[in-house]
């Protein structure tokens, strides 16, 4: 059973001798925190072991409850704060420490950016690259997410809707999240109430709420049990004043949909360029930082009128569409054929006729994918792009912009490109996920 979250208590000295540590299976100990791990936990040492302490920051002394002991490291949580770091702040969210979505709300936002800059700088140093990082790409640290994905489950007669606990399937019921755009929070309770019958019939699953750049709200339910069309219609009618689009799916298949507005729109830049998407399509959760990221990639690549540019892992055309306005041709590659079709539809709607998009397995790429390319954009999932980077390492592509959401696979893939003669010219952090340890990184490489 997961331990209930309790706020840190300011330490008050106690009379008498401290009790002895418990052995093997767990113990309490006073620990000095000297670093942050990549997942946002404090790092301490106890004897010859590293101890990872949730809720602790560098420079702090904490009394930790250690409940998971391994051969080479231990894990626990700070229970009492004895010496506080200057960068510690009071987390504004009442669910912090129970909900698994945030790890760094107790760290000043400027210090969070420094932490992520240091992580990327250390990664580049390990690769032997002496590159000065550009300033982080950042937006507002609160109310930045244009979508929220909630878990729901029916426990007896009680319907629970919220986010999962860290490292657990348990659900923390929530009524609002300070990371979500305000209109989503304002509508959330009404959405859950209106869909109560449908969610109860579904018994469990995921509820996604999305707000597009035009202010439209959409709702998608991925149900554990297949609900009846009548219940879906009833929920959509109840939601008519709140959401413009409702989609219900079961085991990946659409059960029912009501498309009041027909389309959602995701804005890519300040000039109003946008593409259409559905509630279950992948879009970057932070539209402001995404716009900065697209602009940075274009600035680095400097696409010319006679350039052929590849957009690998192109999705709906997040990079493809704005890049196509500046070059001869963009080749967009994406495994999901449905997303390829939507990217081509988006290009047509935008009056873009030089996007050639097709389905391709980029984890087993064909050599022909890099033929005739001048420049390339890589925006892979967390698994990275190892096979593609092995292919690019032997190519004649002049510039590569790599957009990464996982530092470990980024380091592996950059090593492959460096070994192939590329050099890193620019790098920066894009803070797509404030208050989380997750880190988006941008790197520009040039051929030798």
């Amino acid at each position: 059973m997961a331990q209930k979250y309790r706020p840190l208590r300011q330490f008050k000295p106690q009379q008498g001798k401290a009790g002895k540590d418990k052995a093997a299976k767990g113990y309490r100990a006073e620990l000095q925190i000297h670093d942050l791990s990549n997942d946002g936990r404090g790092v301490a040492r106890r004897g010859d072991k590293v101890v990872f302490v949730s809720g602790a920051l560098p420079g702090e002394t904490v009394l930790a409850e250690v409940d998971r002991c391994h051969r080479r490291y231990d894990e626990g949580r700070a229970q009492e704060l004895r010496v506080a770091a200057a960068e510690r702040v009071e987390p504004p969210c009442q669910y912090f420490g129970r909900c698994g979505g945030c790890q760094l709300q107790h760290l000043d936002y400027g210090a969070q950016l420094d932490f992520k800059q240091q992580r990327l700088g250390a990664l580049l140093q390990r690769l032997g690259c002496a590159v000065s990082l550009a300033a982080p790409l950042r937006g507002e640290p609160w109310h930045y997410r244009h979508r929220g994905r909630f878990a729901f489950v029916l426990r007896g007669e009680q319907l629970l809707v919220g986010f999962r606990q860290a490292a657990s399937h348990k659900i923390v019921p929530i009524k609002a999240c300070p990371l979500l755009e305000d209109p989503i929070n304002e509508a959330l309770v009404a959405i859950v109430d209106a869909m109560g019958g449908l969610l109860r019939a579904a018994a469990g699953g995921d509820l996604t709420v999305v707000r597009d750049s035009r202010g439209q709200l959409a709702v998608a339910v991925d149900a554990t049990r297949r609900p009846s069309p009548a219940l879906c219609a009833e929920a959509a009618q109840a939601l008519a004043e709140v959401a413009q689009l409702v989609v219900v799916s079961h085991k990946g298949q659409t059960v029912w949909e009501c498309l009041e507005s027909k389309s959602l729109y995701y804005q890519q830049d300040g000039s109003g360029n946008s593409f259409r998407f559905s509630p279950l399509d992948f879009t970057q959760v932070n539209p402001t930082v995404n716009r900065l990221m697209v602009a940075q990639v274009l600035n680095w690549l400097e696409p010319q009128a006679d350039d052929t540019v590849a957009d690998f892992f192109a999705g709906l055309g997040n990079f493809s569409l704005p890049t196509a306005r500046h070059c001869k041709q963009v080749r967009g590659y994406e495994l999901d054929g449905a997303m390829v079709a939507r990217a081509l539809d988006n290009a047509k709607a935008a009056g873009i006729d030089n996007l050639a998009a097709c389905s391709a397995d980029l984890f087993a790429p064909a050599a022909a994918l890099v033929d005739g390319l001048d420049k390339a954009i890589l925006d892979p999932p967390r698994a990275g792009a190892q096979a593609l980077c092995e292919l690019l390492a032997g190519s004649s592509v002049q510039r590569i912009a790599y957009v990464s959401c996982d530092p470990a696979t980024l380091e592996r893939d950059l090593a492959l490109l460096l070994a192939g003669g590329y050099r890193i010219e620019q790098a920066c952090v894009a803070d797509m996920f404030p208050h989380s340890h997750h880190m988006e990184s941008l790197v520009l490489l040039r051929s030798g």
Side-chain angles (χ1 to χ4, degrees), residues 186-245:
E186 291 163 4
L188 182 57
V189 172
I191 288 171
V192 173
D193 287 346
M195 302 192 78
L198 172 61
L199 299 182
R200 289 175 180 275
D206 293 313
L207 168 67
T208 300
V209 184
V210 182
R211 182 173 181 264
D212 78 350
S213 60
R214 302 184 182 185
Q216 301 178 108
L217 284 178
V219 177
V221 176
D222 186 15
T224 301
R225 295 179 185 170
R226 186 183 183 94
S228 70
L231 273 175
C232 297
E234 180 183 319
Q237 185 175 3
L239 278 169
E241 295 184 3
V242 181
Q244 288 73 42
L245 189 151

Side-chain angles (χ1 to χ4, degrees), residues 50 72 76 78 123-124 135 185 196 204-205 223 228 249 304 331 338 347 359 384 413 415 421 425:
V50 171
R72 302 180 66 178
L123 183 158
L124 296 176
N185 280 324
S228 70
S249 63
Q304 303 298 308
R331 301 178 190 168
S359 179
D413 293 349
E425 287 213 335

Side-chain angles (χ1 to χ4, degrees), residues 359-378:
S359 179
D361 182 359
L362 298 177
F363 297 103
L369 293 184
V370 300
D371 289 346
L373 292 181
D374 299 296
K375 296 164 185 177
I377 302 165
L378 279 70

Side-chain angles (χ1 to χ4, degrees), residues 109-132:
Y109 184 58
Q112 291 182 34
L113 292 174
D114 290 343
F115 165 56
K116 293 176 182 180
Q117 287 277 92
Q118 290 165 8
R119 286 177 67 190
L120 181 56
L123 183 158
L124 296 176
Q125 284 184 352
R126 288 194 295 273
L127 292 170
C129 300
V131 176
S132 296

Side-chain angles (χ1 to χ4, degrees), residues 329-383:
Q329 185 186 55
V330 171
R331 301 178 190 168
Y333 299 104
E334 169 64 47
L335 179 62
D336 187 337
M339 294 188 79
V340 171
R342 285 198 282 279
L344 290 170
D345 287 343
N346 284 328
K348 183 177 179 180
I352 293 171
D353 60 7
N354 59 338
L355 171 62
C358 66
S359 179
D361 182 359
L362 298 177
F363 297 103
L369 293 184
V370 300
D371 289 346
L373 292 181
D374 299 296
K375 296 164 185 177
I377 302 165
L378 279 70
D379 186 14
R382 291 181 185 176

Side-chain angles (χ1 to χ4, degrees), residues 170-184:
K170 294 182 180 295
I171 293 175
V172 178
I174 73 157
K175 294 184 177 180
C177 169
L179 303 188
L180 294 174
E181 292 181 357
D182 279 330
I184 297 178

Side-chain angles (χ1 to χ4, degrees), residues 1-4 68 77 97-101 103 151-153 155 160 162-173 206:
M1 182 176 180
Q3 190 176 39
K4 184 178 179 181
R68 283 173 289 180
R77 169 170 288 281
R98 290 182 291 155
C99 166
Q103 300 81 33
F152 70 93
V153 67
R155 292 272 171 81
L160 302 179
F163 295 129
R164 298 195 186 280
Q165 292 180 2
S168 172
H169 293 293
K170 294 182 180 295
I171 293 175
V172 178
D206 293 313

